[in-house]
Amino acid sequence: MSRQAKTVTTSRGQASLYLAKAQQFLEEAQQAVKSRRHDAAMLNSIHAAISATDAVTVALSGRRSADPDHQRAADLLEEVGGRSESITPRVKQLRALLGKKNQVEYESRRGKASEAVDAVARALRFVEWAAEIVQRAKL
């Protein structure tokens, strides 16, 4: 039995604020890759995707996840998108990034260059997609 995720009602007009956060995290991730700071690149990529998810869910539904388990943000994205063909691959992309979060933050091993480059590429695609959604919502 799944538990009810915590969500917050948010003005749809604030979607662009969450998108700006996502873009900022993405820029930091890109700089970290260039500086060979792989853990920072990965973690900023993950946070970029989380903020981009907030931008999309706020733009489409006026809600965002406030659950400490970031997988609930992916659940909300899936719910808001009605499991549409355009949302399903994005949810998978988000879940793949979130799957690296514990490794980066809490495990004793360091991130590899290949993992950092992959995370930044995934985050870039995700943030670009979120920007399209927010723009189409005309907020």
Side-chain angles (χ1 to χ4, degrees):
M1 180 170 118
S2 67
R3 64 182 179 85
Q4 184 67 31
K6 291 171 55 175
T7 61
V8 175
T9 301
T10 305
S11 165
R12 291 180 64 233
Q14 291 192 3
S16 60
L17 298 174
Y18 291 101
L19 180 60
K21 287 182 180 191
Q23 291 165 332
Q24 187 179 76
F25 285 128
L26 178 61
E27 288 171 14
E28 291 299 319
Q30 291 168 325
Q31 286 301 315
V33 162
K34 290 178 186 174
S35 300
R36 298 177 0 163
R37 294 178 288 126
H38 309 310
D39 296 312
M42 291 173 67
L43 195 55
N44 277 295
S45 294
I46 293 162
H47 283 287
I50 292 167
S51 290
T53 298
D54 289 344
V56 170
T57 60
V58 166
L60 297 178
S61 73
R63 293 184 299 150
R64 65 175 179 79
S65 176
D67 201 296
D69 180 353
H70 294 297
Q71 290 291 344
R72 300 301 67 85
D75 294 345
L76 180 61
L77 179 60
E78 192 170 44
E79 175 191 321
V80 165
R83 294 179 172 83
S84 73
E85 288 183 27
S86 64
I87 295 285
T88 300
R90 301 305 179 181
V91 171
K92 287 181 183 177
Q93 198 173 9
L94 176 60
R95 289 192 194 284
L97 280 166
L98 291 173
K100 299 287 185 177
K101 189 171 185 295
N102 279 347
Q103 170 205 318
V104 173
E105 286 189 306
Y106 305 117
E107 290 184 10
S108 60
R109 84 167 185 86
R110 302 294 305 268
K112 298 176 186 172
S114 60
E115 293 172 315
V117 168
D118 179 65
V120 171
R122 288 174 187 265
L124 174 63
R125 290 190 303 271
F126 200 88
V127 171
E128 287 175 342
W129 169 75
E132 290 173 16
I133 297 296
V134 171
Q135 183 179 22
R136 273 191 252 146
K138 298 182 190 270
L139 301 171

